[in-house]
Amino acid sequence: MAVPRNTSDHTRLSRKDLPLLTPLTNTDSAEKSCPVPHSSGTAALQYELLDRREELAVLGRLTERLPDRVSSVVCIEGAGGIGKTSLLNAWIAGARDRGLLVARVCGSESQEGRPWSAARQLFDSLLAALSESDRRALQESAAARTLSALSTPPGEEGRACGDQAEVSCQIGESLYELVVNACEMGPLALVLDDATWADQASLRWMHSLAGRIDGLPLMLVTTRRCGNGQEAAPLLDELALQPGVITLELSPLSPGSVRRLVQDRMGRRADEQFCAACHEACEGNPLLLNELLRVLVKNGVRPCAAQAGRVAELNEHVLEKTIAIRLARQSKAVMAMSRALAVLGDGTQLPVVAALAGLDPFRAQEAVREMRCMGVLTEEEHPRFTQPQIRSALFRAMAPEKLAEEHMRAARLLRDHGECSEEVARHLMLTQPTGDEWRIAVLRDAARRAAARGAPAISARYLRQALTESPAPQVEVCLRAELATIELLDNPTASAYHFQQELLLRQDPCGRAAAVSGLAAALCTTRRTHEAVTALRQGLAELGESPEHGEWRLRLEAQLVLAAWQDGSSASIGTELVKARSSRHVRGDTPGERAWLAVCALHVQAGHGTAEHARSLAGRALRGGMELDGAMLWFFPPLLLGLVAADHPEMAAGWLQRMADHAARRGSRRLSALASFGLGTVAWHSGHVQEGLGHASDLLDVVGRETPERPALPSFAVVANLLLDLGATDIAHDILQAHPTDSLVSDAWARSAYLLAHGRLRLEQGDAGAALASLLECGRYQEAGPVITPAITRWRSYAALAYAATGDRASAIDMADRDLDLSRRWGTHKAIGISLRTLGTVTGGKRGLELLSQAVDMLEHSPARVELAYTLNEFGAACQRLARRDAARSSLQRALVVAEECSASCLADRVRGALPLVGGRLRAAKASDARRLTPSERRVAELAAQGRSNREISEALFVTRRTVEIHLTSAYRKLEISGRPELAFALAQSATPARQDRALPVP
């Protein structure tokens, strides 16, 4: 029979292509989400056929052309459970109603090793579809007799029968002749469902048949999972790429179709959020969606927004059950490889997985091929599960004892293969302790590596596991010391416990001194300062006065002073010790000497000397560098803030940035909080208000996650004071409302900070009486400290303003005079300027105006630009009250300029409101460029310009993603750009010089 060749090209149709390439009748956009009706469809089938109208239309049109002897080959592709078989069911039911003969067979894994099994089943299906007379005629044909003679009897698939190639050719020709004969009896469709699993001989015949059907009333239809099985059945790829072949790619269900199905199964009032959660969970897969809905209904879940979270929870069990059933049907080799990969984890090298599974390389490769065909492994070089639920399903199927045994085997295997100690330790963590020395060594090394890469919590877990191995006493003491040091910053309660246990094991004096030092630091961090003082005094008594222990004695004495001052009730112990050792000369060459210099600097900063003396001591203490791990860390934050109080913020900025960088590398939130508070204070003092707000936001993110067992450092009170300095009164109010002073423990430093913040807030809110009470109580705590200098806590300035607000002008002037006297003794322009401003404000009149003028002159020489802006505003208001409009206008205009330079928006808004009252005109906003970016905004913008995501930037800078978004938004506004694509050019155009505050100063 001569038939014309079809010269049309291969066509691949996805959902977006179907409406364009297939003209449809009686179809519009409103019907696309409707279930497709068919004569034999059930309700469940209709659910699965949502969004399949276009595909059915293509199959229907191809069926209509068969009587005209227009043949076609259709390949249907889609993910597992996407509805390929359901689509065939719907089409076949309608096609049979129109008289189409359909022979259908479904591929199975049992066919792979049996040549011609799929073709023989397809022939049997064809015979079953024919009438009695047609069936008899086909069976009696010469082709059928030849096929019967050549077919291999069951059970003899591997036996040769003459020349195997010649036999295969004859079988193929006989089958082709039978198909041609069947087509004479009516239009015919041959359907091979799940062709991935069909035997190679049948697939080769289907491939050959596809090229010989032109002019026959015949449709060849195959289905397979897209993305899986290509390596196992390359003939399917070749078949799909033949000219004239139409490939239908089944897409997931749309959100609208999922919503219709959810509403039909669970109620018409299903919430949109609940339906969206179902769509996200099943990813539009009809099979998984139906199973998920069945489980949701069974568990009594209501389709409301409040229960949307249950969808993901129950979906995990649905997927695990589906995966477990599929894997249970596989060969022993596949199950062994699956379990081994589940234990070892994705991305493990194949030889290692094979060794754990107990398979030789060839059988392991075969198992991987089978698993890829199933769709449980990706096509990557190293084995990787396609879904995380596969591991969960495998773990649930294994008994806990068996799982622990497998992890133990994996640990030994990885150790023998020279894998990183952290990889080995990951498995040891899931086994029972045995006390083997190699386990302890691996866990210790893994802990060091984890700490070095900024994962202190993981490092601590490894060390705790090592302690459960019952190590020898000399090993246990080292483990306790390492664990206590790791936990010191972020889990000080546990750190204190381990230091105490270490002390019980230590015998050598220096080792015990080191443990006491760490214990005291942990106790102070948890505000158990009185216990810290007791431990330090006992440690000093044990050391004695021996010169060989001089370094440790210096360290413990410095810590004792710091702990006593923080305790409040023991403050006199620290002060007396400093005075007794005042003649001690130290250079700052050792950690102990630097700690003692820091204590002396803090003593001077408290009001027992001048700012210049404090700066000199701080410079000597910092010359040898900072210890950013261990007990000595706690000396440096107050020391650096003292440099700010001494009008040297540029000296502190570099050290604080180094602390922030170290916190990011180490992964310490507490250390990051300390650095954020310091950087915020420096930013405020240097006139960068927006940057200060950014650091305050970072600080709140960290502090807000603290618990009573892990108290916040810096405290909420410190955050509130910083926010009040920055003009963020509303946020400070919310913080202090949530944390009243009644909830405080007996911590002198924290309580006085809270009282100061409460007093300032009440004063801002107009409640002068309550403000004065809080401020005077704060003063009592400060003087008991004793902290005298206003540079540290300016409670006298605020108390003077509170006295004035209550009408007690005499007390206000007396308090302000005392504050000014102490500021002059301290000797910085900032302290003196603020005290002059306070005295001028409460004095009033011409004398007050003179004092305010002196305050302006003093602050002109100070780096505290925001304080200058506040003082200029106050001076302008005083001039206005005395009817000196010209002076008032000039001062307010200058105040506005300085406030805008500092981005002090609250103050700038206040000044703008006052300027028109004295005849002033509002100036135009200054053009923005990259030189106006704050250091934090600049750092974030530079990383974003390099292509970093917000998540990567937040991890690199140890801030929240919200903070990154705030800084980027501010940078876009200042640079006058719309987004990231313009960042690199905008930053390059500005040619901003290197910032001095980023350099590390050498005092």
Side-chain angles (χ1 to χ4, degrees):
M1 179 185 298
V3 294
R5 293 292 299 167
N6 186 342
T7 58
S8 61
D9 293 332
H10 164 262
T11 303
R12 176 175 289 269
L13 303 180
S14 63
R15 170 155 301 282
K16 65 179 184 295
D17 302 319
L18 287 170
L20 299 176
L21 298 178
T22 308
L24 305 177
T25 58
N26 301 322
T27 302
D28 56 38
S29 59
E31 297 174 326
K32 290 182 181 178
S33 297
C34 298
V36 177
H38 53 88
S39 58
S40 61
T42 62
L45 184 58
Q46 288 180 358
Y47 295 143
E48 295 174 2
L49 291 178
L50 287 165
D51 287 345
R52 298 291 179 255
R53 180 174 293 275
E54 287 86 354
E55 290 85 351
L56 274 174
V58 171
L59 294 172
R61 288 185 62 81
L62 295 174
T63 304
E64 292 172 1
R65 296 169 182 172
L66 289 178
D68 297 329
R69 306 185 75 85
V70 178
S71 61
S72 58
V73 180
V74 181
C75 296
I76 302 174
E77 296 182 350
I82 204 65
K84 300 181 293 296
T85 300
S86 297
L87 176 64
L88 286 180
N89 290 339
W91 166 65
I92 290 172
R96 281 173 173 164
D97 289 343
R98 293 193 291 270
L100 180 69
L101 289 174
V102 180
R104 178 181 180 181
V105 65
C106 183
S108 65
E109 297 154 61
S110 61
Q111 296 175 354
E112 279 194 299
R114 301 172 58 192
W116 299 103
S117 57
R120 288 203 305 267
Q121 292 177 33
L122 199 60
F123 178 62
D124 292 340
S125 176
L126 173 60
L127 291 176
L130 293 171
S131 65
E132 183 66 30
S133 58
D134 288 341
R135 183 186 310 116
R136 188 180 307 112
L138 196 62
Q139 287 175 327
E140 292 176 356
S141 66
R145 290 193 297 271
T146 302
L147 183 64
S148 177
L150 292 173
S151 295
T152 304
E156 301 181 19
E157 290 82 1
R159 190 182 66 186
C161 182
D163 189 326
Q164 193 65 41
E166 182 180 349
V167 170
S168 296
C169 181
Q170 293 179 25
I171 291 176
E173 286 299 320
S174 298
L175 284 171
Y176 175 70
E177 186 175 342
L178 285 171
V179 170
V180 171
N181 292 338
C183 287
E184 295 302 321
M185 301 171 183
L188 173 64
L190 299 180
V191 180
L192 180 55
D193 194 8
D194 212 347
T196 302
W197 299 108
D199 62 277
Q200 295 297 298
S202 297
L203 286 178
R204 279 192 295 270
W205 176 73
M206 289 285 286
H207 180 271
S208 174
L209 179 63
R212 304 172 65 187
I213 65 174
D214 291 337
L216 295 176
L218 176 64
M219 282 181 66
L220 293 182
V221 182
T222 64
T223 72
R224 68 162 173 172
R225 294 184 182 183
C226 61
N228 299 310
Q230 287 87 339
E231 182 182 343
L235 287 171
L236 289 177
D237 291 330
E238 297 179 19
L239 175 63
L241 293 174
Q242 282 197 31
V245 174
I246 297 174
T247 301
L248 297 179
E249 297 181 14
L250 301 192
S251 59
L253 296 180
S254 65
S257 295
V258 171
R259 181 173 61 252
R260 287 174 57 85
L261 207 159
V262 174
Q263 291 173 342
D264 198 82
R265 291 280 293 272
M266 303 189 71
R268 292 293 176 185
R269 296 184 177 180
D271 287 348
E272 186 71 27
Q273 183 177 346
F274 185 88
C275 295
C278 291
H279 182 269
E280 181 181 356
C282 69
E283 298 180 343
N285 187 295
L287 180 65
L288 296 180
L289 177 61
N290 277 308
E291 180 64 16
L292 172 62
L293 293 178
R294 185 190 67 78
V295 173
L296 290 172
V297 172
K298 181 180 178 181
N299 284 270
V301 177
R302 292 179 291 104
C304 59
Q307 297 210 19
R310 295 290 311 280
V311 173
E313 175 187 338
L314 293 174
N315 187 56
E316 294 287 332
H317 298 294
V318 171
L319 292 176
E320 288 180 13
K321 179 181 177 182
T322 304
I323 293 164
I325 292 173
R326 292 183 63 204
L327 286 174
R329 299 172 180 168
Q330 308 309 310
S331 64
K332 292 182 179 180
V334 168
M335 285 301 299
M337 283 293 288
S338 300
R339 283 193 292 263
L341 184 58
V343 171
L344 290 168
D346 286 337
T348 306
Q349 294 184 358
L350 183 58
V352 179
V353 183
L356 185 62
L359 300 175
D360 61 78
F362 176 78
R363 191 66 192 94
Q365 285 283 4
E366 286 294 306
V368 167
R369 181 188 64 81
E370 294 177 37
M371 293 166 72
R372 284 175 177 160
C373 292
M374 291 174 58
V376 298
L377 285 189
T378 66
E379 297 292 337
E380 299 177 39
E381 178 183 358
H382 300 310
R384 184 180 299 275
F385 288 124
T386 54
Q387 294 179 330
Q389 291 83 5
I390 298 175
R391 293 192 74 199
S392 303
L394 290 164
F395 284 151
R396 287 178 183 272
M398 298 174 68
E401 299 80 8
K402 177 65 175 177
L403 190 57
E405 180 184 334
E406 290 298 311
H407 279 293
M408 187 63 188
R409 289 182 57 228
R412 286 199 175 97
L413 184 65
L414 291 173
R415 181 198 60 177
D416 295 342
H417 276 76
E419 290 291 334
C420 171
S421 59
E422 281 201 77
E423 283 297 314
V424 181
R426 184 169 60 86
H427 295 283
L428 292 178
M429 296 292 291
L430 300 171
T431 63
Q432 294 297 322
T434 63
D436 293 339
E437 291 185 5
W438 72 268
R439 290 170 59 97
I440 299 174
V442 166
L443 289 166
R444 287 184 72 181
D445 187 66
R448 294 190 192 100
R449 290 174 180 268
R453 65 179 173 85
I458 296 176
S459 176
R461 285 178 53 207
Y462 291 149
L463 290 171
R464 289 194 203 101
Q465 180 71 18
L467 284 171
T468 65
E469 300 285 344
S470 302
Q474 64 271 23
V475 177
E476 181 183 354
V477 71
C478 295
L479 289 172
R480 295 280 183 190
E482 292 170 13
L483 178 56
T485 302
I486 285 290
E487 293 181 320
L488 180 57
L489 279 174
D490 295 296
N491 193 357
T493 301
S495 176
Y497 168 78
H498 290 297
F499 275 126
Q500 288 169 338
Q501 296 301 307
E502 181 191 355
L503 275 171
L504 296 176
L505 298 170
R506 287 279 188 192
Q507 299 298 325
D508 58 303
C510 290
R512 289 185 60 81
V516 168
S517 176
L519 173 62
L523 291 172
C524 287
T525 304
T526 55
R527 297 198 179 112
R528 296 155 63 185
T529 50
H530 190 71
E531 295 178 50
V533 170
T534 302
L536 287 165
R537 296 180 76 175
Q538 290 176 350
L540 284 167
E542 289 182 11
L543 278 179
E545 298 292 339
S546 173
E548 62 179 319
H549 300 146
E551 169 64 14
W552 278 111
R553 185 165 191 86
L554 269 178
R555 291 194 188 198
L556 297 188
E557 285 184 346
Q559 282 187 268
L560 176 58
V561 173
L562 204 61
W565 284 346
Q566 186 177 339
D567 181 45
S569 62
S570 307
S572 59
I573 296 175
T575 303
E576 290 171 4
L577 185 58
V578 173
K579 291 178 178 178
R581 301 285 194 273
S582 59
S583 59
R584 175 186 286 164
H585 178 73
V586 293
R587 293 170 48 87
D589 296 332
T590 66
E593 290 181 351
R594 290 192 287 273
W596 186 255
L597 286 170
V599 163
C600 293
L602 293 175
H603 181 65
V604 173
Q605 290 168 19
H608 305 285
T610 65
E612 189 57 33
H613 186 199
R615 191 211 64 79
S616 174
L617 289 170
R620 288 164 57 194
L622 291 169
R623 186 174 292 114
M626 285 195 301
E627 286 189 20
L628 295 176
D629 291 304
M632 295 298 100
L633 163 68
W634 302 108
F635 290 96
F636 293 101
L639 183 65
L640 296 174
L641 295 178
L643 286 175
V644 178
D647 275 8
H648 289 282
E650 74 287 346
M651 293 183 63
W655 297 104
L656 287 165
Q657 188 55 55
R658 176 180 286 184
M659 184 184 293
D661 294 341
H662 182 73
R665 289 192 300 270
R666 193 185 185 280
S668 171
R669 285 192 165 277
R670 190 176 295 273
L671 187 57
S672 177
L674 288 170
S676 292
F677 171 68
L679 288 169
T681 304
V682 169
W684 160 256
H685 194 85
S686 303
H688 300 299
V689 173
Q690 288 301 318
E691 183 183 4
L693 284 171
H695 287 300
S697 175
D698 296 343
L699 194 52
L700 281 176
D701 288 333
V702 177
V703 171
R705 294 184 177 89
E706 301 292 329
T707 64
E709 291 75 23
R710 298 172 60 193
L713 282 178
S715 69
F716 286 101
V718 177
V719 181
N721 274 301
L722 179 57
L723 290 168
L724 286 168
D725 280 341
L726 298 169
T729 307
D730 292 341
I731 306 176
H733 170 77
D734 293 340
I735 292 173
L736 295 174
Q737 283 290 102
H739 303 278
T741 53
D742 295 341
S743 66
L744 285 175
V745 293
S746 57
D747 185 318
W749 176 78
R751 182 173 287 275
S752 63
Y754 267 91
L755 290 167
L756 176 67
H758 274 280
R760 295 179 61 187
L761 181 63
R762 296 291 180 266
L763 189 60
E764 188 74 22
Q765 294 172 336
D767 189 351
L772 184 60
S774 293
L775 291 166
L776 291 177
E777 186 177 358
C778 171
R780 285 192 289 273
Y781 276 99
Q782 289 289 307
E783 291 178 342
V787 177
I788 302 170
T789 177
I792 303 299
T793 303
R794 296 177 358 228
W795 69 269
R796 294 180 186 82
S797 290
Y798 296 112
L801 295 173
Y803 271 125
T806 60
D808 189 350
R809 186 167 175 270
S811 298
I813 293 174
D814 181 65
M815 183 67 74
D817 273 328
R818 171 65 175 157
D819 191 61
L820 178 58
D821 180 57
L822 292 171
S823 293
R824 282 177 171 151
R825 286 170 54 187
W826 176 243
T828 63
H829 293 97
K830 177 185 175 182
I832 297 172
I834 293 174
S835 296
L836 284 168
R837 183 181 70 204
T838 303
L839 183 58
T841 300
V842 300
T843 300
K846 292 183 179 179
R847 174 58 182 162
L849 191 63
E850 292 175 5
L851 292 169
L852 287 171
S853 178
Q854 294 174 26
V856 170
D857 293 338
M858 189 63 65
L859 289 168
E860 289 282 9
H861 299 88
S862 166
R865 303 293 292 169
V866 181
E867 295 292 356
L868 173 61
Y870 274 109
T871 306
L872 285 167
N873 178 59
E874 195 65 38
F875 180 75
C879 289
Q880 182 185 1
R881 287 191 293 270
L882 294 175
R884 300 183 181 183
R885 290 173 58 85
D886 291 344
R889 182 167 57 251
S890 175
S891 181
L892 290 175
Q893 286 175 337
R894 178 79 195 291
L896 181 59
V897 171
V898 177
E900 287 181 343
E901 287 176 352
C902 298
S903 300
S905 55
C906 295
L907 176 59
D909 290 341
R910 192 185 309 171
V911 176
R912 288 192 192 96
L915 260 175
L917 302 178
V918 294
R921 290 185 298 177
L922 298 179
R923 56 194 294 276
K926 181 181 177 181
S928 299
D929 60 22
R931 286 181 291 273
R932 298 189 62 207
L933 297 181
T934 66
S936 291
E937 290 168 351
R938 180 82 189 199
R939 286 194 296 274
V940 170
E942 287 171 348
L943 291 175
Q946 296 170 12
R948 304 273 193 99
S949 66
N950 285 5
R951 179 183 62 80
E952 291 170 335
I953 296 173
S954 68
E955 291 174 354
L957 300 180
F958 209 79
V959 298
T960 65
R961 294 191 197 179
R962 177 58 183 159
T963 300
V964 172
E965 292 170 1
I966 291 172
H967 285 332
L968 278 177
T969 301
S970 178
Y972 296 157
R973 176 178 55 79
K974 292 180 180 180
L975 295 173
E976 298 179 345
I977 59 176
S978 59
R980 286 177 183 252
E982 304 170 65
L983 262 178
F985 179 77
L987 293 173
Q989 286 293 102
S990 69
T992 305
R995 295 184 304 275
Q996 294 299 320
D997 61 339
R998 290 299 306 277
L1000 296 179
V1002 180

